[in-house]
Amino acid sequence: MTSLLRTEAQARAALVDVTGYRVHLDLDTGEETFESTSTISFTCREPGASTFLDVAATTVHSITLNGNEIQPSAVEGRRVVLDDLAVSNTVEVRATMTYSRDGQGLHRAVDPTDGRHYVYGHLFLDAAPTVFACFDQPDLKAPYDVTVRAPHDWTVIGNGDPTRTAPGEWTLSTTRPLATYFVTVCAGPYASVHDEHRGVRLGVHARRSLATELREQAPQILEVTKAAYDYDDELFGVPYAFGEYHQVFVPEFNAGAMENPGCVTFRDQYVFRGAYTRNDVLTRSNTVAHEMAHMWFGDLVTLRWWDDLWLNESFAEYMAHRILSEATEFAEAWVDFGIVRKIWGYAVEHTPSTHPVAGSEAVDAGSALMNFDGISYAKGASVLRQLIAFIGDDAFVAGIRAYLAEHRDANATFADFLAAMERASGRDLGAWADAWLRTSGRDTLGVELDLDGDHVRGASVMRRTPDAAPTSRAHRLDVVGYRGGQRVVEDDLTLLEAMTPAPALVGAPAPELLVPNAGDLTWALVDLDDATLAALPEHLSSVPDASARVVLWTALIDGVRSVTVDPRHAHRTFVQAWPHEPSLTVLEAVGRHLFGPVTAALLPSEQAQVVRDRAAAAQAVLDARPAGSPESLVAARLLADTTCDVALLRDWAAGRRVPAGLEGDDELRWSAVTRLVVLGEGGDADIDAVHDNDRTMSGDRNALRAKASAPTAAAKEWAWAELTRDDGRSHYERNFLASGFWRVSQRDLLEPYAERYFADVPAMAGWVGQDALQRLAGLAFPWPLVSTATRDAADAALAQDLTPAVRRAVVDERSRLDDALRSLEKYA
Ligand SMILES: [Zn+2]
């Protein structure tokens, strides 16, 4: 598939200006395809010149340029050349397009609960030509007039304000100038809740089978929406620009959400079924606030090219946490940032795929997609926090206001942003930006203590820059020492050198735990001193500051990947400290999501005991915390995933004797029955019994995962075929098959599939989109087979021609495997 080169985009933008799109979509022509008519008005700076239009149709019926027919056969790949342009031009393309099943393009899904169909457009990053012919690049922004024909009982929502003009006929009002990747249409028998805020009509929408949950949860979603709107409007000094504000919770969505102006799409797992906690609501609220910030960063001012995607994502990421902590009930939002988001970015720093926050090359659109990772989001947001610590919040806000005012409805670059910040702060930020934004990698920080008996005689903070990308980053941070659950010493520092004295620590009592970056303000690998590391099992949970505990948990997990911490010590810390962790956010993230690298770095003979220990820790929390509390709910979910207590699992799978608060919770039943299957104690009849009670989209997917988990050769053969065959399954179904397939306790059975992974998954690039395939290639990687043979197979695959998505996934997983092998060599 052709991916637009940056040089081609530059040449096209130099030649043409798009003045408007008229797009008509007919969604009432069957379940496989739809009809698309795109009429584009554009001007050309060099009459007589040529350019090209992007179109990825199933069948092109006609192409008309300035009244002259172009043969549909002239389309090559995804392009058609437009010759002999006039000053003002009109091109019209009529085509039949195909609905997608991988969440990219115009995705169509069927809800098994009631058989109803739902459609949504996700045109990011370069899927717009699969929906309408266009000049698909972010800097050719233009207003859109969209009309839609749809079945009579459908609702149509899009970027412009929707009006139903006749049964099944919808008109969306003319938009402000939009980049192609922001255009969306959502259509189907959606259930809706409406509201209004400061003259803006608000809507939240979800599948009809989620209507009860939507009505129950919409007030909270709308409350955060309004808080974020007010906060952004006030801070940015530029009003919200895109008319009605709709939030559509759509099925089988690849990302968390997408910031389509006026019509944000979210994954519909955010409309919670069954039991959920404050944490789940925090995560959803974070995404709501993130997308609202994009209405300014990204939508009103758009990146000129994909190398500046951090301008969108780092800001939205930063703003979401700022808004949540300052303007909503979620004061703990920065704790969540540390333990969920930064850990994601730190994991990327361990791989060869890491890259600078800004200015990654992005020679074409396809490779740019690979940089939507923890660096562009979490590291970028952390760097913004360092920028604010460096220039002050007033200068930062003044810079943002100037930047938005100057580039509204247009495009901007890194240089534009930096210039605005330099003007607002009156400082030269060139060296700062080079170090923090244009250089990849992170520093390692540690504290060197000189003790005199039980008092500190001298203390310095050490900063070590990676050899691969040397630079001098200034860090603003604090160092805090704890003893007996109290802060006993602290110092606020700016690190400019390899060693920086910490005079405020001198004379203080020797701490039990000494935490560099205790406020979690900077971005670095924290190398704990030996005494602190040794004290973690006993004392970690007594540290009173959640941000410091986040840094300690992170240092442990990071340390396992860096092969500086024995995974057995990390596990011992988990067993002793985790059950007493005071923060729900940290309890959940550490308990359920972060110990993968630790498990991978243990011998097979150790892993069964580790799973039993984790189940015991979960049971301890369940026994100690109040029944029905969110902590007990987190613990129950971990217990269902890890316990070997077959009687308990049988009860829970049947919905019997479940912990308070989890009555009627389908997810718990699925976890329990899947665990039974993994243990060889459950089969198809048990899966069917749970499934009969949950004939929903998520029920269907959970059934696939449970079946793929069975410890039999036949089940694995079936699951692998379902996973890798082009048979119309959605990307979500494949992801669930993959997440059930690999089980550490089933290594013998799984051995042959390492080779098959490296043959079958790359071959899927022909029919699965890059975005979906990158996720799948990660999930389907043979990670329980930690061996040099798997590493060699990965190396052999990497020597072949792979698409960017598969290559990125294999590079990252291979690096995770290599870290585990090095750890085994050092510690096992
Ligand atoms: Zn975003």
Side-chain angles (χ1 to χ4, degrees):
M1 193 172 74
T2 329
S3 183
L4 183 72
L5 295 170
R6 176 184 200 150
T7 48
E8 293 172 328
Q10 285 167 336
R12 192 159 63 173
L15 189 67
V16 304
D17 263 326
V18 184
T19 47
Y21 280 91
R22 273 189 295 122
V23 175
H24 178 72
L25 301 177
D26 188 345
L27 308 182
D28 199 10
T29 60
E31 299 177 10
E32 302 297 325
T33 60
F34 59 97
E35 298 300 312
S36 162
T37 306
S38 177
T39 311
I40 312 166
S41 310
F42 64 102
T43 58
C44 175
R45 291 188 185 84
E46 291 173 31
S50 303
T51 189
F52 61 92
L53 191 66
D54 304 299
V55 55
T58 308
T59 312
V60 175
H61 303 298
S62 70
I63 306 169
T64 315
L65 173 64
N66 299 330
N68 301 315
E69 294 284 322
I70 297 174
Q71 286 306 309
S73 59
V75 177
E76 268 189 57
R78 289 164 43 122
R79 295 179 180 180
V80 59
V81 173
L82 306 179
D83 282 323
D84 196 19
L85 297 176
V87 174
S88 290
N89 304 276
T90 303
V91 63
E92 184 196 83
V93 177
R94 290 193 310 107
T96 299
M97 308 285 200
T98 301
Y99 291 110
S100 79
R101 291 293 291 138
D102 61 7
Q104 298 175 243
L106 199 61
H107 184 87
R108 187 167 179 132
V110 186
D111 186 340
T113 318
D114 53 15
R116 290 174 180 274
H117 288 235
Y118 295 87
V119 163
Y120 65 86
H122 184 62
L123 274 44
F124 172 84
L125 178 143
D126 59 356
T130 68
V131 181
F132 59 94
C134 57
F135 297 105
D136 190 24
Q137 61 188 72
D139 58 345
L140 287 174
K141 291 169 87 168
Y144 283 77
D145 283 289
V146 176
T147 51
V148 179
R149 187 171 163 270
H152 289 195
D153 61 338
W154 284 20
T155 298
V156 173
I157 312 149
N159 306 98
D161 299 352
T163 306
R164 182 171 170 271
T165 54
E169 303 282 348
W170 295 77
T171 298
L172 306 176
S173 66
T174 307
T175 68
R176 286 174 90 97
L178 304 182
T180 39
Y181 79 97
F182 287 137
V183 177
T184 191
V185 164
C186 300
Y190 283 102
S192 303
V193 174
H194 289 102
D195 199 349
E196 202 204 277
H197 185 61
R198 291 168 58 180
V200 175
R201 188 163 191 257
L202 306 177
V204 289
H205 315 267
R207 279 181 282 133
R208 194 170 285 191
S209 63
L210 293 169
T212 306
E213 290 85 353
L214 182 74
R215 271 194 296 275
E216 185 242 327
Q217 295 164 41
Q220 193 279 332
I221 295 167
L222 289 164
E223 188 186 319
V224 173
T225 304
K226 293 171 190 175
Y229 180 106
D230 290 346
Y231 194 100
D232 289 338
D233 186 74
E234 159 79 24
L235 191 81
F236 297 152
V238 176
Y240 166 75
F242 297 104
E244 295 184 11
Y245 192 73
H246 293 277
Q247 298 176 92
V248 192
F249 294 83
V250 298
E252 301 178 328
F253 195 71
N254 272 319
M258 175 67 206
E259 64 269 23
N260 311 299
C263 185
V264 178
T265 41
F266 293 80
R267 53 170 45 215
D268 67 7
Q269 294 93 321
Y270 276 144
V271 179
F272 307 124
R273 299 169 65 244
Y276 59 95
T277 68
R278 175 185 174 86
N279 243 4
D280 298 313
V281 182
L282 184 156
T283 304
R284 180 177 68 198
S285 301
N286 188 290
T287 308
V288 167
H290 177 109
E291 303 311 319
M292 180 64 83
H294 269 315
M295 295 300 126
W296 287 263
F297 284 97
D299 295 6
L300 190 66
V301 180
T302 306
L303 44 80
R304 181 162 302 288
W305 181 246
W306 300 109
D307 58 336
D308 277 326
L309 65 93
W310 80 282
L311 279 176
N312 290 2
E313 297 310 340
S314 306
F315 270 92
E317 175 94 1
Y318 168 75
M319 284 304 304
H321 292 87
R322 177 170 174 152
I323 292 165
L324 249 56
S325 64
E326 292 182 18
T328 74
E329 63 176 298
F330 299 107
E332 72 273 39
W334 287 113
V335 175
D336 172 77
F337 178 66
I339 202 68
V340 176
R341 309 294 289 183
K342 284 177 84 171
I343 287 227
W344 172 42
Y346 285 156
V348 182
E349 294 275 39
H350 284 287
T351 72
S353 309
T354 196
H355 55 88
V357 172
S360 286
E361 210 170 339
V363 290
D364 63 17
S367 60
L369 180 65
M370 300 304 115
N371 286 342
F372 275 75
D373 58 16
I375 298 296
S376 299
Y377 287 73
K379 182 175 183 181
S382 297
V383 172
L384 288 176
R385 296 181 85 193
Q386 282 293 314
L387 175 65
I388 293 165
F390 193 56
I391 66 171
D393 197 51
D394 290 347
F396 177 72
V397 172
I400 287 176
R401 288 178 165 220
Y403 168 81
L404 289 172
E406 192 175 338
H407 303 288
R408 62 200 289 180
D409 286 327
N411 297 80
T413 64
F414 181 41
D416 296 324
F417 167 77
L418 202 61
M421 287 295 156
E422 287 187 330
R423 277 197 302 274
S425 65
R427 300 170 82 147
D428 178 351
L429 295 173
W432 183 92
D434 281 347
W436 272 111
L437 291 165
R438 292 197 185 95
T439 307
S440 66
R442 60 178 169 161
D443 297 333
T444 301
L445 306 180
V447 184
E448 291 189 3
L449 272 193
D450 178 18
L451 290 180
D452 173 16
D454 54 2
H455 279 74
V456 178
R457 184 161 49 197
S460 296
V461 180
M462 175 279 299
R463 182 195 68 179
R464 197 170 58 237
T465 297
D467 297 338
T471 185
S472 179
R473 292 182 197 85
H475 294 261
R476 287 298 303 272
L477 54 82
D478 56 350
V479 178
V480 180
Y482 299 90
R483 196 174 180 91
Q486 307 279 332
R487 280 173 168 244
V488 289
V489 61
E490 58 188 273
D491 203 351
D492 284 315
L493 297 162
T494 300
L495 307 189
L496 299 169
E497 309 292 339
M499 291 300 276
T500 304
L505 301 188
V506 176
E512 285 162 353
L513 301 167
L514 188 59
V515 189
N517 193 32
D520 200 19
L521 185 62
T522 198
W523 180 266
L525 174 63
V526 168
D527 193 5
L528 298 173
D529 66 89
D530 291 345
T532 297
L533 194 60
L536 284 180
E538 193 177 347
H539 295 296
L540 197 165
S541 64
S542 72
V543 170
D545 304 315
S547 62
R549 294 197 309 279
V550 164
V551 169
L552 291 169
W553 283 115
T554 303
L556 264 184
I557 290 157
D558 246 355
V560 171
R561 286 235 25 203
S562 309
V563 200
T564 54
V565 172
D566 186 339
R568 289 148 202 87
H569 185 67
H571 177 64
R572 268 194 301 281
T573 306
F574 179 88
V575 168
Q576 269 187 266
W578 178 79
H580 308 288
E581 169 55 48
S583 156
L584 174 67
T585 308
V586 178
L587 189 84
E588 176 155 14
V590 172
R592 302 202 58 218
H593 305 303
L594 296 181
F595 266 67
V598 175
T599 312
L602 295 167
L603 292 168
S605 57
E606 297 170 306
Q607 283 171 347
Q609 184 58 43
V610 161
V611 173
R612 278 194 292 276
D613 291 345
R614 299 185 70 202
Q619 185 69 57
V621 171
L622 201 54
D623 294 342
R625 309 287 176 113
S629 65
E631 289 81 7
S632 71
L633 202 144
V634 167
R637 295 206 188 284
L638 177 60
L639 186 60
D641 288 337
T642 50
T643 186
C644 296
D645 182 342
V646 172
L648 176 116
L649 289 170
R650 287 204 188 288
D651 273 344
W652 287 9
R656 288 188 307 256
R657 289 191 273 279
V658 297
L662 284 163
E663 300 86 355
D665 183 71
D666 289 318
E667 284 301 315
L668 186 74
R669 298 186 64 178
W670 280 116
S671 296
V673 78
T674 304
R675 181 73 186 147
L676 280 173
V677 170
V678 170
L679 294 172
E681 297 284 346
D684 283 351
D686 302 280
I687 296 169
D688 291 345
V690 180
H691 197 188
D692 283 342
N693 198 54
D694 185 23
R695 290 282 169 193
T696 63
M697 221 169 216
S698 70
D700 286 1
R701 298 194 291 250
N702 278 319
L704 290 174
R705 170 155 59 196
K707 287 185 177 163
S709 305
T712 67
K716 296 302 176 194
E717 190 58 46
W718 168 83
W720 193 257
E722 293 295 308
L723 180 58
T724 53
R725 196 167 51 201
D726 183 5
D727 60 358
R729 281 207 181 281
S730 79
H731 59 306
Y732 259 56
E733 292 173 317
R734 290 180 209 287
N735 289 350
F736 273 68
L737 284 161
S739 67
F741 189 83
W742 297 102
R743 300 282 174 179
V744 283
S745 57
Q746 299 169 1
R747 271 193 203 82
D748 295 347
L749 214 50
L750 293 169
E751 208 71 58
Y753 290 92
E755 204 176 306
R756 292 179 67 177
Y757 169 89
F758 293 108
D760 295 347
V761 172
M764 295 170 76
W767 47 275
V768 179
Q770 295 279 294
D771 202 6
L773 189 55
Q774 190 190 348
R775 273 178 186 75
L776 182 70
L779 284 170
F781 191 88
W783 66 267
L785 306 175
V786 178
S787 67
T788 51
T790 309
R791 188 175 58 192
D792 291 347
D795 288 337
L798 289 169
Q800 309 288 314
D801 195 18
L802 300 176
T803 60
V806 176
R807 177 167 296 279
R808 173 71 189 253
V810 172
V811 164
D812 291 355
E813 296 302 320
R814 184 233 181 256
S815 135
R816 189 155 74 112
L817 189 77
D818 191 55
D819 291 341
L821 284 169
R822 289 189 300 122
S823 178
L824 284 164
E825 207 171 296
K826 180 168 174 184
Y827 295 113

